[in-house]
């Protein structure tokens, strides 16, 4: 299955659903147009989208995108951070720690935290994360942790301070172990902070200092997820009054004018970007 094309197809569906609901029968017809679909049955393809976290529901025989109607205060956000032993799942790299916080209506309502067994951790990653091979010897294996995390995530909005890295790495890891892919709506707190918080830089460590977020264990997954939660919370305080729904928020984070012009820098490898968080 070509998940890249499937994600592109589902992105088009999301754009339609952001504008209006779609009669269920018409939505099933839309699913049959996807040449890369996993199932021949449109009904099963719909269930797969739900399983993979796309926030759909049927209301009055119409398919609606929940994030298009949910107010920000009504939405559960799942703030995620991972530590890995490399940059690319395709090269055999994997998650070595995952942490997540569920946040809704100004309250932390749940958390997820786990180390993950791995045979190898490069020395420089040990130095950055303080995670050693000995710490992972009795940790659960990756497939088990991914299954548990997928159940924890449900169809919540996936939030991270480096959304491209965390979201894609987890999605590719799901794919590797035949657990589907991520279809959850996503929000990057770097993008959002640029539009709500005036700062010289937007790396996690700098924003923690600026906002006086006193959480230790930088570069540990749960601690960084918790720090990111407080950045999300601060950003929400400074939203334009027209930003009401979750889809408004996602669009705002991508398209609103940044408070501080972005400084152009030379491209860096993803792992280097991760280390600067």
């Amino acid at each position: 299955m070509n998940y890249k094309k499937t994600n592109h197809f589902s992105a088009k569906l999301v754009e339609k659903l952001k504008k209006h609901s779609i009669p269920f029968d018409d939505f099933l017809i839309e699913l049959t147009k996807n040449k890369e679909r996993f199932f021949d049955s449109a009904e099963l393809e719909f269930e797969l989208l739900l399983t993979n976290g796309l926030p759909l529901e049927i209301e009055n025989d119409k398919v609606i995108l929940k994030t298009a109607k949910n107010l920000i205060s009504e939405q559960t956000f799942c703030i995620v951070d991972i530590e890995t032993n490399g940059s690319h799942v395709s090269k055999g790299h994997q998650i070595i720690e995952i942490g997540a916080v569920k946040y809704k209506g100004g309250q932390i309502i749940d958390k997820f935290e786990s180390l993950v067994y791995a045979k190898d951790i490069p020395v420089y990653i040990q130095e950055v994360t303080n995670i050693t091979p000995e710490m992972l010897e009795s940790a659960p294996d990756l497939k088990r942790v991914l299954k548990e995390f997928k159940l924890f995530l449900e169809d919540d909005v996936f939030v991270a301070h480096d959304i491209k890295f965390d979201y894609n790495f987890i999605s590719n890891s799901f794919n590797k172990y035949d657990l589907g892919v991520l279809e959850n709506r996503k929000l990057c707190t770097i993008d959002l902070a640029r539009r709500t918080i005036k700062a010289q830089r937007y790396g996690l460590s700098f924003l923690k200092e600026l906002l006086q977020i006193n959480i230790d264990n930088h570069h540990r997954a749960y601690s960084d997820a918790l720090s990111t939660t407080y950045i999300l919370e601060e950003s929400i305080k400074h939203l334009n009054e027209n930003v009401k729904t979750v889809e408004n928020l996602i669009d705002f984070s991508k398209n609103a004018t940044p408070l501080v012009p972005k400084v152009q820098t030379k491209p860096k490898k993803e792992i280097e970007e991760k280390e600067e968080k």
Side-chain angles (χ1 to χ4, degrees), residues 75-237:
Q75 178 66 46
T76 300
F77 297 90
C78 188
I79 301 91
V80 184
D81 188 82
I82 57 175
E83 304 300 337
T84 70
N85 62 1
S87 301
H88 303 285
V89 173
S90 61
K91 294 182 180 180
H93 301 146
Q94 67 159 85
I95 296 166
I96 58 174
E97 185 178 41
I98 184 167
V101 176
K102 286 207 175 191
Y103 178 87
K104 180 180 181 180
Q107 300 288 331
I108 293 173
I109 61 173
D110 207 351
K111 71 173 188 176
F112 183 96
E113 183 178 11
S114 182
L115 290 167
V116 183
Y117 174 76
K119 293 181 179 179
D120 177 62
I121 309 176
V123 173
Y124 75 96
I125 290 181
Q126 293 184 48
E127 292 172 348
V128 170
T129 64
N130 290 318
I131 297 174
T132 65
E134 291 76 19
M135 293 170 62
L136 304 185
E137 287 179 353
S138 59
D141 64 76
L142 180 56
K143 186 172 184 178
R144 173 182 164 186
V145 175
L146 289 173
K147 284 182 176 180
E148 292 174 353
F149 176 70
K150 187 167 187 176
L151 290 173
F152 177 84
L153 176 62
E154 301 177 299
D155 66 354
D156 299 337
V157 174
F158 186 111
V159 182
H161 203 65
D162 183 9
I163 196 71
K164 184 177 180 181
F165 181 85
D166 294 80
Y167 191 94
N168 289 345
F169 202 101
I170 291 176
S171 187
N172 290 335
S173 298
F174 281 166
N175 188 13
K176 180 177 180 178
Y177 288 97
D178 297 321
L179 298 173
V181 292
L182 283 175
E183 296 280 6
N184 298 65
R185 302 297 289 140
K186 56 189 175 183
L187 175 68
C188 182
T189 47
I190 292 178
D191 290 342
L192 183 60
R194 287 187 185 280
R195 290 156 174 85
T196 53
I197 300 169
K198 286 186 177 180
Q200 293 176 320
R201 298 192 301 276
Y202 289 90
L204 186 59
S205 59
F206 188 88
L207 287 177
K208 282 175 64 178
E209 183 176 353
L210 178 69
L211 301 176
Q212 298 182 335
I213 299 172
N214 298 313
I215 296 174
D216 296 327
N217 292 331
H218 186 56
H219 285 303
R220 291 298 301 270
Y222 179 74
S223 295
D224 284 357
L226 186 58
S227 296
T228 301
T229 302
Y230 292 121
I231 292 170
L232 173 65
E233 184 173 57
E234 182 65 21
S235 292
I236 289 174
K237 293 177 184 177

Side-chain angles (χ1 to χ4, degrees), residues 1-14 31 34 45-56 65 67 150 153-158 167 170-171 174 179-186 247:
M1 182 178 184
N2 191 324
Y3 280 116
K4 185 174 182 180
K5 291 184 179 179
T6 303
N7 281 333
H8 182 67
F9 182 84
S10 61
K12 288 184 176 180
L13 289 178
V14 166
L31 293 182
N34 179 14
E45 197 69 16
F46 179 77
E47 291 297 325
L48 182 62
L49 288 176
L50 297 180
T51 300
N52 286 344
L54 195 62
L56 305 176
L65 183 68
T67 46
K150 187 167 187 176
L153 176 62
E154 301 177 299
D155 66 354
D156 299 337
V157 174
F158 186 111
Y167 191 94
I170 291 176
S171 187
F174 281 166
L179 298 173
V181 292
L182 283 175
E183 296 280 6
N184 298 65
R185 302 297 289 140
K186 56 189 175 183
E247 288 300 328

